Amino acid sequence: MATMESLIGLVNRIQRACTALGDYGGGNNALSSLWEALPSVAVVGGQSSGKSSVLESIVGRDFLPRGSGIVTRRPLVLQLHKTEHGTYEYAEFLHLTNKRFTNFSLVRKEIQDETDRITGKNKQISPVPIHLSIFSPNVVDLTLIDLPGLTKVAVEGQPETIAEDIESMVRSYVAKPNCLILAISPANQDIATSDAIKLAKEVDPTGDRTFGVLTKLDLMDKGTNALDVIEGRSYMMQYPWVGIVNRSQADINKNVEMMVARRKEREYFETSPHYGHLANKMGSEYLAKMLSKLLESVIRARIPNIIALINRSIEELERELDQLGRPIAIDAGAKLYNILGMCRAFEKIFKEHLDGGRPGGARIYGIFDYQLPGAIRKLPFDRHLSLESVKRIVSQSDGYQPHLIAPEMGYRRLIEGSLYLFRGPAEASVNAVHSVLKELVRKSIAETEELKRFPSLQTELAAAANSSLEKFREESMKSVLRLVDMEASYLTVDFFRKLHEMDTQGSQNTSLSSPTTVEQNGERQFRTIASNVAGYIKMVADTLANTIPKAVVHCQVRQAKLALLNYFYTQMSQRQGKHLGQLLDENPALMERRLQCAKRLELYKNARDEIDAAVWLG
Ligand SMILES: Nc1nc2c(ncn2[C@@H]2O[C@H](COP(=O)(O)OP(=O)(O)OP(=O)(O)O)[C@@H](O)[C@H]2O)c(=O)[nH]1
């Protein structure tokens, strides 16, 4: 397995990549978090407990912002890289790649500026970490996360909820099972009041991953010492407590060098009557080495889980990318190819609706089987052929000369008037089929998976299809009305010949029946006319009930199947790449999702390669 440097360095590299791609754990990503699986050391403590001093002492440099109230307002991921003895020290920020800081007071300023860039000057906090790498021969390979101090009260400019906000941010780090907790408590306060220990007890009740550090031993009241805590009698932890003596505020004000401070700290423990026997296990240098060894062993133990998470995430991300579809190619030819491919996918679904593979087409045939016959049956022929109406129309048609035999003109007027009524059902059939076809276009677009990514193409495709359907409808309307008009333009003579024969026969029988008055004769003749016309209309109705569907299917349904997008295809083939690209503008949220998935997939694949390489380095 890899050496300590390569494993911690490996995790450092993966952590930096995670943050760069927006994965800094905390569950605020819809995507799984690799960060959360990476072991890290979170530095937790109450305000002014000495966190920053411990960090600076471990690094051996003055580089953290200081001040009253809350200074640390964003997590600072501090990645320490041990370099060859004698090499110069420098720092780099993830957000300022290729810029090396050798002046560490500028590092402090950059931390302040970068903090303000996200949180603004109003002392808010933010969970977005700042990544700072320090390369120095005076450090060990180690990653520490400096978190805002667990504060008690808001100061000027901070929201009342600042204490809860900080605690929930700190919790989002320390609650992770892969996170080691460096709990900083000042020795000059009762350990029972330590904010850090209280929180650690909650998230790590067995103390498996809590590391106790006691600062400010030099500030304890004369005649007192912290041996009860340090030797585990006050609060037993899995790992032994480490005592620290950092620079006092006076030392800081005097700019006492960190290296000098480290030496003073060593001397403090070596000469201490209380801690002399523990001197080799006290102080910030020992703490750093021990933390580094502990972090390396935790990483080593977690590598299999990390690899499993990475492989699982790669599969999930590749599956999602397949669903989201790959980015469309740049050149016009590829764009046109993609567009035509999606149009054909749409047409296939549309035809399946019409031909029975999908449910839509049955509605069209329902129009011919139920709606059209029903509409014809409801036509007001009774009213049009009432005795009164027949009398009126026949008389009007005769003019001053009553008809001699059969009221030819009367018949024509009655039939024409009746036939005109068929226009309604004929038009209604055309419009009903048009509505169904439009609805099938809408449904088919919605059912075409490939189109989901391209709202503009969907809109353009729907407009083109509906425009074609409109043309087909106009054509169909002309055809069906022509069918109705044809019935009026030439009456079927045979029908009336047969009627005449039946009438002649009927009148012979009638002469034998009881005598009637002129009035009754006249009425009977009008009833006969009405009945004859009704019979003719029935014959026409039966004919139209068959011919109208034929015309509608021919002009609308068949055309929709054969030529719905012909005009659209012609337009597309004449469009330039730019216009084609406009059709392929994807839903921005979907593009963003694909981008995030692609970046996260790249991160996981790189991490897998890094881990494979580290494991091979052995
Ligand atoms: N004498 C002495 N002073 C210390 C020690 N550790 C920290 N201090 C002083 O305590 C004050 C707070 O130290 P910091 O390191 O800023 O504490 P902090 O927890 O980082 O503070 P915030 O991040 O601002 O909450 C500073 O004035 C330090 O000089 C120590 O071991 N001994």
Side-chain angles (χ1 to χ4, degrees), residues 68-115:
S68 62
I70 293 182
V71 175
T72 315
R73 287 185 288 117
R74 284 176 61 186
L76 174 70
V77 180
L78 184 57
Q79 295 179 338
L80 307 181
H81 308 262
K82 184 171 184 55
T83 54
E84 291 300 313
H85 184 68
T87 52
Y88 71 97
E89 293 174 303
Y90 66 93
E92 273 181 351
F93 286 94
L94 180 62
H95 64 274
L96 285 177
T97 46
N98 306 326
K99 180 170 181 182
R100 284 189 174 185
F101 289 77
T102 49
N103 175 345
F104 280 75
S105 55
L106 294 181
V107 170
R108 171 182 290 122
K109 184 174 180 323
E110 181 55 30
I111 292 173
Q112 283 160 332
D113 294 348
E114 175 59 16
T115 299

Side-chain angles (χ1 to χ4, degrees), residues 1-15:
M1 178 57 97
T3 60
M4 179 195 311
E5 290 70 13
S6 60
L7 267 185
I8 293 180
L10 162 69
V11 169
N12 281 350
R13 287 194 297 279
I14 298 174
Q15 247 169 358

Side-chain angles (χ1 to χ4, degrees), residues 48-53 66 216 218 246-249 252:
S48 294
S49 56
K51 284 191 293 68
S52 306
S53 302
R66 289 183 175 280
K216 308 191 181 182
D218 58 320
N246 296 311
R247 291 179 302 170
S248 63
Q249 193 53 52
I252 291 172

Side-chain angles (χ1 to χ4, degrees), residues 168-277:
S168 62
M169 183 213 287
V170 173
R171 248 176 223 285
S172 74
Y173 278 87
V174 297
K176 296 186 192 80
N178 288 326
C179 178
L180 298 174
I181 303 165
L182 196 61
I184 311 288
S185 310
N188 57 348
Q189 282 174 22
D190 178 351
I191 193 70
T193 64
S194 161
D195 299 303
I197 293 296
K198 250 189 270 169
L199 182 57
K201 273 182 177 175
E202 268 184 58
V203 296
D204 174 31
T206 56
D208 293 342
R209 51 193 180 88
T210 301
F211 217 97
V213 173
L214 216 48
T215 59
K216 308 191 181 182
L217 290 172
D218 58 320
L219 296 183
M220 290 188 75
D221 295 342
K222 292 286 175 241
T224 63
N225 64 58
L227 281 176
D228 282 348
V229 174
I230 287 182
E231 289 176 334
R233 287 186 292 277
S234 303
Y235 178 60
M236 174 55 111
M237 295 240 257
Q238 176 165 338
Y239 301 105
W241 284 75
V242 174
I244 299 282
V245 172
N246 296 311
R247 291 179 302 170
S248 63
Q249 193 53 52
D251 291 348
I252 291 172
N253 296 346
K254 286 185 294 191
N255 286 326
V256 169
E257 281 287 317
M258 288 310 295
M259 291 302 133
V260 172
R262 273 190 184 177
R263 184 170 43 72
K264 283 174 72 178
E265 183 187 43
R266 269 198 305 278
E267 285 164 6
Y268 174 87
F269 286 112
E270 282 162 0
T271 58
S272 159
H274 307 295
Y275 313 113
H277 64 294

